[in-house]
Amino acid sequence: MISNQVPIIFDRNRLKKHRARAVVNFAEHDFLYREMGQRLCDRLEYIKRKFPFALDLGAHNGILAEILEERGGIENLVQMELSEPLLSGAKNIKVVGDEELLPFAENSFDLIISVGSLHWVNDLAGTLIQIQRSLKPDGLFLAIFFGGQTLQELRASFEKAEMEFRGGVSPRISPFIDVQAAGSLLQRAGFALPVVDSEILTVEYNHPLKLMKELRGMGETNTLHECEKNFTPCSLVMSAVDNYLRDFSNEQQRIEASFELITLTGWKPHCSQQKPSNRGSGKVPISQVI
């Protein structure tokens, strides 16, 4: 839940509109969500238990549910999404709702899983606390979303163009969270056995405009609260395109786009979970181990 002290970085209403606009051709641009969903499901394969009641948080059009069907072990799946038009194509139990204000009681779910959604949340700390409360004791939380190095090439290309045209830069690419901050927030939210990791996924495109079209088709275009409200001049866009082609083309004359994928894993505390030994309880001196 957003408090008065939490800065409003993202315009959630604009995000809702962008996702609604993406409905028509979403299936043509959803490969990154599918890749992220598959990576989370691969991690679930190592956890040998059933999850009677699960929540797909930020379900988009139900991509994750399709992948989870192949796994089994989830008896009931609730799919929650900010955009009602995007969610309309999903199956299972559907809830239109906001990640910043979860409409669920405490101890509701055995598993909460989220793919490509939490990077748009203003109060990620508050959302993680709500997720932890919504889990049953010993319930599992798994999430994957874009991190701080995402679209660094596109950001650099626009910044160079704006410095040339305007002598300054305006906010265009989201200030994604880094892995260290994500880990700290997971611990602050009270999760047991927290694990955070990241990796860079590099995607190639024929042209920067193809990348921009992809982002629009994914519903991932600029939702920054302080972004310009007017249309970006074509001359500025084309200058950024030229920068991108010149600075970030590979040997095959294709441009590269970086997507940092941050993965969070945490459990709601339970007495059955492993715990670290008490400080000073070791019986072997460290000098004998090193």
Side-chain angles (χ1 to χ4, degrees):
M1 185 182 302
I2 300 177
S3 68
N4 294 332
Q5 287 73 40
V6 175
I8 305 301
I9 301 171
F10 305 113
D11 186 332
R12 300 282 294 175
N13 286 327
R14 187 178 299 150
L15 174 62
K16 187 187 300 185
K17 291 177 182 178
H18 288 179
R19 288 189 175 177
R21 181 182 64 193
V23 169
V24 178
N25 298 310
F26 189 77
E28 299 176 15
H29 304 281
D30 65 1
F31 82 96
L32 272 174
Y33 297 129
R34 290 188 179 277
E35 176 66 23
M36 289 190 285
Q38 188 60 61
R39 290 179 184 222
L40 281 197
C41 288
D42 287 346
R43 298 191 180 215
L44 274 178
E45 290 298 320
Y46 293 100
I47 301 171
K48 304 302 181 184
R49 67 160 66 181
K50 293 184 180 296
F51 299 100
F53 209 51
L55 170 65
D56 178 4
L57 185 60
H60 295 91
N61 66 340
I63 294 172
L64 183 60
E66 296 177 17
I67 301 172
L68 287 171
E69 283 181 359
E70 302 174 3
R71 178 190 184 274
I74 295 177
E75 299 173 15
N76 300 281
L77 179 66
V78 178
Q79 296 170 282
M80 196 187 99
E81 165 57 36
L82 182 66
S83 168
E84 184 174 3
L86 188 57
L87 186 64
S88 62
K91 302 176 182 178
N92 303 296
I93 305 168
K94 295 183 281 190
V95 175
V96 177
D98 194 325
E99 294 95 337
E100 296 185 342
L101 188 61
L102 299 187
F104 306 109
E106 291 189 39
N107 306 321
S108 294
F109 299 102
D110 303 282
L111 168 69
I112 295 180
I113 190 166
S114 179
V115 172
S117 188
L118 294 183
H119 56 282
W120 289 123
V121 169
N122 285 295
D123 184 12
L124 183 55
T127 293
L128 291 176
I129 290 171
Q130 293 180 72
I131 290 170
Q132 199 259 34
R133 289 174 178 168
S134 299
L135 283 168
K136 297 177 183 178
D138 204 31
L140 173 63
F141 169 57
L142 265 177
I144 187 169
F145 54 91
F146 296 128
Q149 298 183 61
T150 297
L151 298 176
Q152 55 188 343
E153 303 88 354
L154 185 61
R155 179 184 288 107
S157 299
F158 265 104
E159 287 178 352
K160 184 183 290 188
E162 287 197 299
M163 286 299 296
E164 178 184 349
F165 275 76
R166 299 172 172 175
V169 299
S170 59
R172 295 185 180 276
I173 310 298
S174 296
F176 302 111
I177 194 169
D178 62 37
V179 66
Q180 289 84 2
S184 296
L185 292 179
L186 197 61
Q187 290 184 309
R188 282 174 53 191
F191 283 97
L193 309 174
V195 177
V196 183
D197 58 75
S198 73
E199 57 185 315
I200 301 294
L201 179 66
T202 302
V203 183
E204 294 184 358
Y205 292 91
N206 292 327
H207 196 274
L209 293 179
K210 175 70 173 177
L211 166 62
M212 296 179 198
K213 181 181 179 181
E214 187 95 275
L215 294 173
R216 181 182 176 90
M218 293 168 61
E220 289 287 335
T221 46
N222 194 353
T223 67
L224 289 171
H225 184 69
E226 298 297 332
C227 73
E228 288 189 350
K229 302 302 187 288
N230 301 321
F231 287 108
T232 303
C234 182
S235 56
L236 177 59
V237 174
M238 295 315 298
S239 177
V241 166
D242 290 341
N243 293 334
Y244 209 131
L245 289 169
R246 182 177 57 254
D247 298 338
F248 301 106
S249 292
N250 57 26
E251 294 179 355
Q252 290 73 40
Q253 299 304 306
R254 293 168 62 85
I255 60 109
E256 297 182 345
S258 298
F259 295 89
E260 182 182 15
L261 308 182
I262 292 181
T263 304
L264 306 182
T265 305
W267 298 81
K268 185 159 184 176
H270 187 262
C271 60
S272 66
Q273 294 166 350
Q274 293 181 337
K275 295 178 176 61
S277 301
N278 293 328
R279 191 181 181 96
S281 62
K283 299 186 179 176
V284 179
I286 245 187
S287 58
Q288 295 182 18
V289 177
I290 298 177

